[in-house]
Every structure is written in structure tokens, then in C-alpha cells.
Amino acid sequence: MTQPPEILRAAQIERWNDEADVIVVGMGIAGACAALEAQRAGADVLVIERASAGGGASALSSGIFYLGGGTAVQQAAGYEDTPQAMYDFLMANGVSPDAEIIRAFCDGCVEHFDWLEAEGVPFERSYFPGKAVFLTTTTCLMSTGNEKVWPYREIAKPAPRGHKVAREGENAGSLAMEALLARCAEAKLRTHFDSQVTALVIDDDGRVVGVRYRKTGEDRFARAARGVILSTGGYNMNKELLAAHMPHMLGNSEPLGVPYNDGAGILLGQSAGAATQSMSGVIATASFYPPSQLIKGILVNTRGERFVAEDSYHGRTAAFITEQPGRKAYLILDSEIFAYPELTDFSHHTLVDGWETIEEMEAGLALPPGSLQRTLGDYNRHAENGEDPLLHKHPEWIKPLTAAPYAAFDVSFNKSVYLFITLGGLKTNARTEVVGVDGAVVPGLYAAGACASSVSRDGKDYASGLSLGPGSFFGRVAGRLAASAG
Ligand SMILES: Cc1cc2nc3c(=O)[nH]c(=O)nc-3n(C[C@H](O)[C@H](O)[C@H](O)COP(=O)(O)OP(=O)(O)OC[C@H]3O[C@@H](n4cnc5c(N)ncnc54)[C@H](O)[C@@H]3O)c2cc1C
């Protein structure tokens, strides 16, 4: 499914089965936040969800929210973050950043953190100082992006901004969704479950005024007096859309999400004239750390050259690996730091071999003669002084690689299991209004969460938490705005 569904005209609808001020399509984190805020702003809200309950990918997630600007957890951990520092970082690190979207998110983050806590999403006042991909403890705060990576660490004062919900295990997002869905139940939000939205309805002026949904084998129609909010998640379960926008992800990669993350919201929006953006944006990760000592190794491509600072966020490293010739790369280690990568779910586990000399390793990896010897020679010469003038890896992760024997892991794209989520989607402005291909707002239509292209649009600028953080934040924005429309 790559083509937008038909668009329906209000005049064609003979009978509306239901009506509300605001209709929210999809009840993951963006939809739940949108619905709560719209109802509190005085709107009569109807949520239409394809599954038998709310939750979506959000309920499967690790529960890391990227938030900053001076949250209570950051303050408790002794970090002085500001909205401006967060903005400067996200703008500098962004591949195609939208200044207004990022400004709105950064300025609203502290209030949003307080709101999440007030809704019953618990965050411990605790901090993990190390470098990890995710935590299985209840520890909250961790650096989850490229804040300490050059040049960003010189542009904006680094601060940890990954806030993990206080539940043990890999699935802390379930606790966030339990809390938000409990609030939705308390608020007696009207919901239709097992109901798939299959088309939007517009009036003669092109304003979105309702939806068609399929429930128990029957087509039904619901009218929206003020607006429709799309919050159906990403599109990584739609093989045809993947083939069109990121065909390389169809091989050995694993999409992260629920089966209904099939891009429906994106296609529904397009049927009403919406533009899409960053559709090839993907966060695909196969982390070679932990253990963090592996960051002291170097990554080289088939030319024997380094291409990314090894202390980058794993998603940024993965994005650079996929750009190398043949999508191939090796992690080079000496015996002082050798260890097997620990993560088994998304991993680079192919140990190529061990060698007594760099020359033998170069031949064993079939790298151009002299290339690895030159690369390591340069690296080691500067590493003696704790420096990396080529890629500016942080001194914390620099040591000369001189302790034979040497080893290499094959971290090539086809030798790793990449878990991924899509980052592209409907073009929206900072108010979550959907923007049309003609540049004008599509009246009556809003989008939030992974069906919209939002703060992060590329693996190089992703940080863990940049889905749940902006998804929940802009879900609320959409709910308030739609409630006030009309
Ligand atoms: C294992 C895992 C770990 C992750 N960890 C993190 C993390 O720690 N931090 C982070 O920021 N991100 C994380 N992510 C990504 C993040 O969970 C998602 O990007 C985010 O939850 C998307 O939220 P959403 O509300 O946009 O979509 P979802 O939560 O997927 O909700 C969309 C809802 O829309 C419904 N729907 C779809 N189509 C229709 C239709 N046509 N009609 C009606 N309903 C429809 C779906 O059934 C679903 O319930 C993780 C993802 C996974 C799977």
C-alpha cells in the first residue's frame, strides 16, 4: 500500500454514525496526549483505534523521553540545562531541522515533563553517568544522543536529556502508556476500538470534517466539527513504502513497532493534499557498545579509512556505516580493550579474526595495502597526546591501539541486525497543522507522533527519546489547537 486512499466529500455521506468536536485517529502516546488535552480544553472527543486497546508502539518502547531545558530530574542530578542550550544542540545536530518546531519543543519541555509526571508517568531522581544504549534499571537520566560529540559539544553545553520511565526492564514505555490510558479512562474519553480509519472526509472548501472507519466488517462515518488529529505511528511495517523510500531496510533489519504502524496516517493525510517530508529518514541501530571500552577502538571502511567519531550515538554511527562503500565497516581493537559486544538483539557480532600485526590484519581484511597501517599510525601518534584531530573523538575514549594481538569485528550492514523506526511523515508546522503540497495548511487536519516528520528526521540526528518526547509534546499541542478550532 503506497497510494493514498480515496478522499470522500461530506455531501456524499448519507448518514453519519457518530460525531464529535475532535476525532483522534490512533491511541499511542501522541493520540492519548492529544485526546486528553482536547477534552480538557472543552472539546467532545472521539478516539478511533484500529487495535483492541490503546498503546501502539509506545507501549512496547523502552520508555526513554528526550526532554530538557532544566527538568526536575536534570536539576536533581546537578545539570544546568536551558531551553536555549537544548535548541542550539538540536539545531546544530539536525540534518534538516525546523527551527520553529525545535523552538516550540525546547521552550515547552520543562512544563511538559511536569505534565507527564502529574499524569502519573513516574521518573526517578537518578542519573546514569556511563554510555549505554538503554537501561534495564529504574534509573532515569542518561545521555542518549550526540551532545558530547564534536562539534556539538563546542556549540552547546552538553546535558543528559534521556529520561527513562521508572520501570525495570526493556519495556518501560508500557508504564507510561498504562498511566496515560488510565487517565483517558478516568476522563471517560469516548473510544472506538477495533476500528480502522480508511478515509478522510472533506467539505466543499477542502476542510477535513470527518473520517470513514471500518468496524466489524462495516463502513461507518464520524463527523468532526473542529478537527481530525492523525496519530497512527510510523510506517516501518509497510513493505511497499519501505521499498519506495529505504529499500536497504528490507533485508536483515527488524522494524520496531506494532503491525498497524503501516503508514496509514501518512497516506490519509496525502489524500487530503498533505505534503510529506524526510521519508527516507530512519533510525536504524546495531550498537557495537556496550561494553563502552569498545568505543576506544576505531571504525574503518573498506578503504581502511575512519569515517565517524566512534563515540557518536549508535544511530549516528549506523547512519554513517550505511553510507560507506558496500555499506561495509570494521571495528578495530587491540588486546587491551578487546571484548565481545554485549547486545544480542541488535548486534554486530561477527568476529573476523585476530592478528599479531597491523599488516597482517590489513591483509586479512582485504584492505588496500598500507591503508590501515597509515590510518592506525596517524591515530596512534595523536592518541599518545589524547587527541584525535581527524574526527575529534572525546579524549575520554582515546588510547593508542598498540597492544598486539589485534582483532576486528565485521560491523557491515549485512553482518548486523538493525532495528529501525521511520522518521519521515506528514509535513506539519510547529502548531501541528498539516501542511499541503501547495504550502498552505490543510484546514481541519493535525498530525503528531511518528506519522509526522518532527524534531528528528535522520539517523544522524536521532537521540533515544526523540520519538516519545516530541510525540507526547506535539500530541498535546494538536489536542489543544484542534479543540479551539472552528
Ligand atoms: C521496542 C521499542 C523500543 C522503543 N524505545 C523508544 C524509546 O525508548 N524512546 C523513544 O522515544 N522511542 C522509542 N521507540 C519508538 C517509539 O515507541 C515510537 O516511535 C512512538 O511510540 C510512536 O508513537 P505514536 O503515538 O506516534 O504511534 P504508536 O504508539 O504506534 O500509536 C499509533 C496507534 O495508531 C493505531 N492505528 C494505526 N493505523 C490506524 C488506523 N488506520 N485507524 C485507527 N488506528 C490506527 C495503531 O494501532 C496504534 O495504536 C521504541 C519503539 C519500540 C517498538
Side-chain angles (χ1 to χ4, degrees):
M1 179 179 63
T2 55
Q3 292 307 310
E6 62 182 322
I7 188 88
L8 303 176
R9 303 267 161 190
Q12 289 172 254
I13 313 297
E14 284 175 13
R15 190 175 80 86
W16 294 95
N17 303 79
D18 209 336
E19 60 180 89
D21 294 327
V22 175
I23 293 179
V24 178
V25 185
M27 203 180 196
I29 195 147
C33 291
L36 281 172
E37 288 288 75
Q39 177 148 318
R40 286 171 191 169
D44 172 33
V45 179
L46 173 64
V47 181
I48 304 183
E49 164 58 55
R50 189 173 172 187
S52 303
S58 310
L60 299 181
S61 75
S62 310
I64 301 170
F65 288 67
Y66 192 92
L67 300 167
T71 66
V73 182
Q74 289 180 311
Q75 287 184 33
Y79 279 92
E80 278 177 29
D81 196 13
T82 61
Q84 187 62 43
M86 184 178 175
Y87 173 86
D88 290 343
F89 166 71
L90 288 172
M91 287 300 292
N93 186 212
V95 170
S96 54
D98 181 310
E100 287 181 11
I101 288 178
I102 290 176
R103 175 62 76 192
F105 178 53
C106 296
D107 285 354
C109 248
V110 170
E111 182 277 337
H112 184 55
F113 171 84
D114 294 342
W115 183 88
L116 287 166
E117 278 206 322
E119 298 306 325
V121 183
F123 296 99
E124 246 182 41
R125 302 300 187 258
S126 53
Y127 172 56
F128 175 77
K131 195 158 169 87
V133 173
F134 57 83
L135 301 175
T136 53
T137 63
T138 55
T139 304
C140 180
L141 193 62
M142 181 171 84
S143 274
T144 58
N146 294 307
E147 294 84 356
K148 291 193 207 163
V149 174
W150 185 88
Y152 316 118
R153 64 176 179 256
E154 292 178 2
I155 293 169
K157 189 175 168 193
R161 301 195 180 101
H163 290 64
K164 188 198 168 209
V165 177
R167 172 168 278 176
E168 283 187 357
E170 293 176 23
N171 180 221
S174 56
L175 183 53
M177 286 313 296
E178 283 163 25
L180 292 168
L181 294 176
R183 284 298 154 108
C184 291
E186 278 164 35
K188 300 201 180 342
L189 268 169
R190 276 198 303 137
T191 43
H192 290 321
F193 292 119
D194 300 307
S195 302
Q196 178 188 2
V197 171
T198 54
L200 296 180
V201 183
I202 53 171
D203 66 13
D204 291 342
D205 299 327
R207 182 182 179 84
V208 177
V209 293
V211 303
R212 179 184 69 196
Y213 62 101
R214 195 154 180 84
K215 188 176 170 107
T216 54
E218 189 187 306
D219 281 339
R220 301 180 187 200
F221 301 91
R223 181 158 47 194
R226 301 189 195 169
V228 172
I229 299 172
L230 297 172
S231 48
T232 57
Y235 74 84
N236 59 7
M237 297 296 173
N238 183 327
K239 289 204 166 104
E240 287 136 309
L241 272 181
L242 293 177
H245 297 288
M246 49 184 87
H248 61 288
M249 298 313 300
L250 283 169
N252 48 321
S253 310
E254 291 282 339
L256 278 176
V258 290
Y260 297 152
N261 293 146
D262 63 359
I266 299 171
L267 297 173
L268 286 164
Q270 285 183 298
S271 75
T276 57
Q277 172 165 275
S278 304
M279 286 296 281
S280 57
V282 61
I283 161 70
T285 185
S287 186
F288 66 80
Y289 62 85
S292 56
Q293 73 202 58
L294 297 181
I295 297 167
K296 294 179 180 170
I298 61 167
L299 289 164
V300 298
N301 59 20
T302 51
R303 293 193 289 254
E305 295 164 347
R306 290 173 71 216
F307 52 89
V308 66
E310 294 80 5
D311 57 348
S312 295
Y313 172 70
H314 46 90
R316 181 171 191 260
T317 300
F320 275 95
I321 289 175
T322 59
E323 285 178 2
Q324 300 313 303
R327 305 187 204 281
K328 285 187 175 299
Y330 301 101
L331 175 67
I332 308 293
L333 307 168
D334 76 357
S335 61
E336 267 179 24
I337 55 169
F338 179 83
Y340 277 90
E342 283 170 12
L343 295 179
T344 50
D345 287 352
F346 44 120
S347 58
H348 301 292
H349 262 95
T350 315
L351 177 65
V352 185
D353 208 345
W355 299 270
E356 282 304 321
T357 68
I358 306 296
E359 204 175 347
E360 286 167 334
M361 175 156 58
E362 189 177 86
L365 296 174
L367 302 178
S371 62
L372 186 60
Q373 295 175 73
R374 192 165 49 248
T375 295
L376 257 178
D378 286 349
Y379 181 78
N380 285 341
R381 198 169 61 253
H382 294 291
E384 294 288 350
N385 306 320
E387 290 168 1
D388 174 21
L390 182 67
L391 295 170
H392 305 268
K393 179 154 70 163
H394 195 281
E396 184 184 352
W397 306 112
I398 296 177
K399 80 151 208 102
L401 300 173
T402 47
Y406 303 92
F409 281 94
D410 189 337
V411 297
S412 303
F413 188 76
N414 66 351
K415 289 288 165 61
S416 313
V417 178
Y418 278 77
L419 303 189
F420 72 101
I421 53 177
T422 56
L423 298 174
L426 296 170
K427 182 173 178 172
T428 58
N429 59 25
R431 288 155 52 90
T432 70
E433 292 163 311
V434 171
V435 177
V437 284
D438 59 359
V441 159
V442 179
L445 193 62
Y446 309 84
C451 67
S453 145
S454 184
V455 173
S456 172
R457 298 169 176 195
D458 189 280
K460 288 182 185 166
D461 65 25
Y462 194 78
S464 295
L466 274 176
S467 297
L468 296 178
S472 54
F473 178 83
F474 286 107
R476 293 179 61 209
V477 172
R480 290 193 297 264
L481 190 64
S484 70

